Amino acid sequence: MATRLPSPVESTPAPPRRRFVVRLIAWSVVLLIPVVILFSGNDESTDDARAPRAAAAHAPSSSAAPKSSAAPQAGKQLPRARPTRLLIPTIGVDAPFVGLAIGATGQLEPPPADDVNLVGWQADGVSPGEAGTAIIAGHVDTATAPAVFAGLSELKKGNRFSVNRSDRRTAVFVVDSVETFAKDDFPDERVYADTPQAQVRLITCAGDYDHSVRDYTDNLVVFAHLV
């Protein structure tokens, strides 16, 4: 099981900003990776993110986290290349990428919390478009404003989004499903398991904001594949 990553810690706790549009998905997305959705702060036995409004999403553990694929390939896929920009026209997302690394605590570090229009990807894992499961995470809000994945829950099956890449190719993905999971019952294997196809998971926070642990109760995951 992956452990929950703490989200960026803020010096003065403030009540969480309620979601914009349906609910601000938190990126707070903490990628949970007991090695790798979220982020700074101290890991505690409660396994909960500690930032008031920059909650994070679940992320895979080092053992569960997808790696650059060496497995048999099936279906359409592209060679490995660094993603440069995420475009989701349906919800108005046009954001640059930052690479996320697994920190000393064995968890995926979060994107900077001071930039509301930034998404992160697991840089030592599968790149978007490459065979395997690529992980893209983003905050739903910050202490002051909605963030890049505030509207992620509005995506529907069949919607398309694209990832611009450093090799000047564009990887286009179609949404297979949009699902919400409780953080204390997160299906790590289903979300992070490697696949022979080129797939992507967009991850952020969702659910209610729990003031006692300064974190959202759920994670929102968009499942998509390369077309």
Side-chain angles (χ1 to χ4, degrees), residues 92-119:
V93 170
D94 182 349
F97 277 90
V98 62
L100 303 179
I102 295 174
T105 61
Q107 298 173 327
L108 189 67
E109 296 176 344
D114 59 350
D115 189 339
V116 299
N117 190 48
L118 185 67
V119 292

Side-chain angles (χ1 to χ4, degrees), residues 140-217:
V140 65
D141 64 359
T142 67
T144 58
V148 63
F149 277 169
L152 199 65
S153 63
E154 298 176 30
L155 291 182
K156 307 294 183 186
K157 180 177 180 179
N159 287 159
R160 295 193 175 205
F161 62 90
S162 60
V163 174
N164 292 344
R165 301 164 18 118
S166 60
D167 61 0
R168 298 188 180 181
R169 298 188 187 188
T170 297
V172 179
F173 298 89
V174 63
V175 173
D176 297 311
S177 65
V178 180
E179 302 180 49
T180 300
F181 306 104
K183 289 187 177 182
D184 60 3
D185 189 26
F186 194 84
D188 298 288
E189 184 67 20
R190 182 181 170 202
V191 174
Y192 301 120
D194 205 6
T195 69
Q197 300 82 28
Q199 298 189 15
V200 159
R201 308 289 185 255
L202 306 180
I203 307 177
T204 193
C205 286
D208 296 322
Y209 187 84
D210 185 339
H211 291 265
S212 66
V213 296
R214 299 178 184 177
D215 192 13
Y216 287 84
T217 57

